[in-house]
């Protein structure tokens, strides 16, 4: 049930209100009849995984409305490709094709559109996918915000690959693939004209190679999530709730760069809630934790991969962060959002 009479910005922020919107409106309507058999409950992941005769498919779709369109380390085109590829990757799928729809505002500079399109193609080549179809619409001047992009992706899963919260067990290790919070702070610094010591660049990058390396090298991967809206905190809360387990984090083990940490302290933000666009969290069997960390550290952007916590049978559905002095705090979902329009 949705408790608001009007849509709020926070309904798109990855926190409590977004979960309420999905579970209170979209899921009850859209799950009434499925033409295909979904392997996981609808809405349990950014990608839906289906079995059809002779293949297992993952499909995902996402809209990109980031402001500004160009930011340190990326732009809306790069974000649209990598964001969709990453949603497929963390379902365990090998991305194979994308579709892209553009909503353009009348008067948008053609040179900027060309820059976005070229960036999308470069990103697609990096991710090993093709953009095979799409659509274009133009709205009146003042009725849009330059350009919005929606991308839909399809991927293939091997028959043996099964990842999801239902596989998470007490004792499993929580591993992140790199340092946190770069994307959100990069967006905020440009949008608000803030200057920090040194340029903070977005971590916008594809994650399919990271997932492939973990799976192909035999790591017992239970569950994966990319850390976008709501950051690490949102991803862990979703998994803890669905797995009906508790999660204990060691705050001192969570990698955050000095630049991002200083910016968050200055702005009153918690880096656990700040969005990434090229980082994932992996739940792996405890016996494979150090090997998973070592594998990720050999990949682009992964030199700070770290084991940051574990799953416990205590306090199911609750994420706890343990500070350096042994004090615990609950890492809950935010009702609103720290920064709108980050993707």
């Amino acid at each position: 049930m949705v408790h608001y009479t009007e849509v709020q910005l926070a309904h798109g922020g990855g926190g409590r209100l977004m979960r309420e919107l999905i579970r209170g409106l979209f899921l009850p309507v859209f799950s009434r009849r499925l033409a295909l058999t979904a392997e996981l409950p609808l809405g349990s992941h950014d990608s839906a995984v289906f079995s059809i005769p002779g293949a297992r498919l993952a499909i995902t779709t996402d809209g990109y409305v980031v402001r500004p369109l160009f930011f340190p380390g990326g732009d809306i085109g790069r974000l649209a490709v990598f964001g969709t590829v990453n949603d497929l990757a963390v379902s365990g799928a090998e991305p194979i094709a994308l579709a892209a729809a553009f909503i353009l505002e009348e008067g948008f500079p053609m040179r900027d559109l060309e820059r976005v399109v070229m960036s999308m193609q470069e990103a697609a080549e990096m991710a090993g996918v093709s953009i095979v179809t799409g659509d274009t619409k133009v709205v009146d001047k003042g009725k849009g915000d330059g350009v919005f992009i929606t991308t839909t992706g399809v991927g293939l899963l091997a028959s043996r690959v099964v990842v999801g919260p239902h596989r998470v067990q007490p004792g499993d290790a929580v591993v992140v693939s790199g340092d946190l919070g770069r994307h959100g702070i990069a967006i905020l610094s440009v949008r608000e004209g803030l200057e920090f010591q040194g340029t903070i660049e977005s971590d916008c990058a594809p994650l399919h190679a990271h997932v492939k390396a973990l799976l192909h090298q035999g790591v017992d991967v239970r569950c994966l999530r990319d850390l976008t809206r709501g950051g690490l905190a949102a991803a862990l809360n979703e998994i803890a709730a669905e797995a009906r387990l508790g999660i204990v984090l060691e705050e001192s083990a969570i990698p955050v760069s000095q630049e991002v940490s200083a910016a968050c302290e200055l702005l009153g933000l918690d880096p656990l809630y700040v969005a990434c666009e090229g980082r994932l969290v992996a739940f792996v069997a405890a016996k494979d934790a150090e090997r998973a960390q070592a594998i990720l550290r050999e990949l682009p952007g992964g030199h700070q991969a770290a084991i940051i916590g574990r799953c416990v049978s205590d306090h199911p559905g609750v994420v706890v962060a343990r500070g350096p002095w042994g004090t615990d705090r609950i890492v809950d979902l935010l009702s609103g959002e720290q920064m709108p329009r980050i993707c």
Side-chain angles (χ1 to χ4, degrees), residues 42-241:
L42 187 65
S44 67
H45 205 284
D46 283 335
S47 297
V49 176
F50 293 97
S51 293
I52 62 174
R56 296 175 68 222
L57 298 177
I59 184 169
T60 186
T61 192
D62 210 343
Y64 295 88
V65 297
V66 66
R67 180 173 59 86
L69 299 178
F70 304 97
F71 48 85
D75 55 67
I76 191 172
R78 186 180 178 93
L79 193 62
V81 171
F82 290 157
T84 300
V85 165
N86 292 346
D87 284 346
L88 292 171
V90 295
S91 71
E94 183 79 22
I96 55 174
L98 302 181
F102 295 82
I103 298 178
L104 306 173
E105 183 182 9
E106 179 188 17
F108 185 65
M110 194 62 72
R111 65 181 180 278
D112 287 343
L113 179 58
E114 182 178 4
R115 182 178 171 189
V116 169
V117 171
M118 294 298 295
S119 180
M120 290 182 72
Q121 178 58 24
E122 291 172 5
E125 291 174 1
M126 285 180 62
V129 298
S130 298
I131 300 172
V132 296
T133 189
D135 185 42
T136 304
K137 296 291 189 295
V138 178
V139 298
D140 295 339
K141 192 176 184 65
K143 300 296 180 64
D145 197 6
V147 57
F148 298 150
I149 302 174
T150 297
T151 44
T152 298
V154 178
L156 285 173
L157 287 94
S159 59
R160 61 182 176 80
V161 174
V162 179
V163 295
H166 65 291
R167 293 202 62 229
V168 178
Q169 302 175 18
D172 284 352
V174 183
V175 183
V176 292
S177 65
D179 62 313
L180 306 182
R182 287 184 177 275
H183 179 70
I185 297 301
I187 294 293
L188 188 63
S189 65
V190 178
R191 181 186 300 164
E192 305 300 335
L194 304 175
E195 293 186 5
F196 303 112
Q197 187 173 4
T199 300
I200 298 174
E201 291 194 350
S202 170
D203 55 15
C204 186
L207 293 168
H208 63 294
H210 300 68
V211 176
K212 187 174 182 178
L214 292 174
L215 295 175
H216 284 212
Q217 295 189 47
V219 173
D220 187 357
V221 179
R222 318 279 197 176
C223 186
L224 297 160
R225 282 287 194 278
D226 55 335
L227 307 179
T228 55
R229 287 170 294 180
L232 177 68
L236 295 184
N237 271 278
E238 289 174 6
I239 293 168

